[in-house]
Amino acid sequence: MSTRHPRVGVGVLLLRDGLVLLGERLGAHGAGSWAPPGGHLEFGESIAQCASRELLEETGLVAHNVRDGPYANTVFADAELHYLTVFAIVERAEGLPTVREPGKCVRWEWFAWHALPSPLFEPLRALHATGFSPSTASPSV
């Protein structure tokens, strides 16, 4: 029986003026791909708490109006990693994005959802391929 288990990641889809914030990743896992801010869900955290924490840690932005979004189930076979990535939609954030973790991200840039850069980090690529659009997603109840 395998001791490997899926991990839970949280991706932050921050919208501003119809654009979404993405960073160019560094490091072994997904290096060179574009991804939203995000990270691992910590014990006892809600998705919104994790999204707010990761957004602040990685970009210096303070999240407001955080709501649950869709998810992606991704296996990175080469790295022997399996992630369930839950996306949170942030409709407003204070500040300007800065690279706060230079060992993990080269830069932050804004992109139109219909014109995302390439390559995309696999969970975001999988989400985008479903036809999901963060600007038209219904608010949570």
Side-chain angles (χ1 to χ4, degrees):
M1 185 163 120
S2 174
T3 58
R4 295 177 294 162
H5 299 285
R7 298 189 72 182
V8 178
V10 174
V12 182
L13 300 177
L14 171 59
L15 307 175
R16 185 177 282 173
D17 300 324
L19 303 175
V20 64
L21 183 68
L22 300 180
E24 185 180 357
R25 291 176 64 94
L26 286 173
H29 185 57
S33 64
W34 290 88
H40 295 105
L41 185 67
E42 293 183 357
F43 182 81
E45 273 187 321
S46 70
I47 300 301
Q49 289 167 332
C50 180
S52 296
R53 176 181 54 77
E54 290 289 350
L55 186 65
L56 181 62
E57 287 175 2
E58 295 183 14
T59 70
L61 296 169
V62 177
H64 298 283
N65 301 340
V66 182
R67 58 187 170 92
D68 292 345
Y71 68 90
N73 184 26
T74 311
V75 175
F76 299 88
D78 293 346
E80 296 187 11
L81 295 171
H82 182 179
Y83 276 89
L84 177 66
T85 303
V86 182
F87 291 92
I89 300 169
V90 176
E91 297 173 348
R92 189 170 67 82
E94 292 177 34
L96 296 173
T98 58
V99 175
R100 307 268 303 246
E101 296 178 329
K104 295 180 180 179
C105 181
V106 176
R107 63 182 179 228
W108 295 108
E109 292 189 25
W110 297 96
F111 296 93
W113 187 254
H114 65 276
L116 296 180
S118 183
L120 293 176
F121 189 49
E122 185 57 25
L124 182 62
R125 188 210 58 76
L127 176 64
H128 193 261
T130 68
F132 171 81
S133 174
S135 62
T136 60
S138 299
S140 303
V141 288

